[in-house]
Amino acid sequence: MAEKTDEELKFDEMFTEYLCRLRESLNLNKTQMANQAGMTRQVYSNLESETRTPSLFSVFRVLENLDMRPGDFFNELFDAYKAEKRKVQVLADQTKAREDYQKACRKKALSED
């Protein structure tokens, strides 16, 4: 199996953080959430730990327990993902602009010597 890209790893992290926040908003621990979703604590814990890619069925079972439509969950996650990508792009653009400015300053300084 191929190594995950940085972007895939970031998405996995966002997914697990989002799922954890949802569970905590209901004041449930992992065992309680697992029991309500009809799965073992270990299976549920894997969803929040990034150790394995969760099956879509497992995610649906948890969302059903949260009385949340999968579309709503994934729309919110997608919006957060896109916002994170924009933030990373802005930082990359700022870094590039700073490097270009420094390069131009060095070039100008060399031409004045």
Side-chain angles (χ1 to χ4, degrees):
M1 180 178 258
E3 291 286 322
K4 288 187 176 186
T5 64
D6 289 343
E7 192 172 9
E8 289 172 313
L9 291 171
K10 182 63 179 171
F11 181 82
D12 289 350
E13 179 184 326
M14 291 176 71
F15 172 85
T16 58
E17 286 176 7
Y18 187 57
L19 189 60
C20 182
R21 280 196 315 267
L22 285 173
R23 176 183 53 76
E24 289 172 347
S25 74
L26 297 172
N27 295 315
L28 296 173
N29 62 36
K30 290 179 184 179
T31 301
Q32 292 167 321
M33 179 64 95
N35 289 339
Q36 288 185 15
M39 58 182 62
T40 66
R41 184 194 185 288
Q42 185 61 47
V43 169
Y44 181 79
S45 186
N46 287 341
L47 294 175
E48 286 190 20
S49 68
E50 301 173 45
T51 57
R52 297 184 188 166
T53 301
S55 73
L56 197 51
F57 182 72
S58 294
V59 174
F60 281 4
R61 287 175 65 183
V62 170
L63 295 177
E64 180 181 34
N65 179 59
L66 296 172
D67 199 24
M68 182 176 217
R69 297 180 56 78
D72 295 338
F73 175 83
F74 286 108
N75 283 336
E76 290 178 26
L77 184 59
F78 181 74
D79 290 345
Y81 169 74
K82 293 299 279 185
E84 181 66 23
K85 279 188 74 167
R86 282 190 298 275
K87 184 172 78 174
V88 168
Q89 186 59 52
V90 166
L91 291 173
D93 292 346
Q94 289 173 342
T95 300
K96 173 83 168 95
R98 186 173 33 256
E99 289 170 353
D100 290 348
Y101 175 74
Q102 290 170 344
K103 185 178 180 181
C105 288
R106 284 190 301 273
K107 186 176 181 180
K108 183 177 179 187
L110 289 174
S111 69
E112 291 175 354
D113 287 342

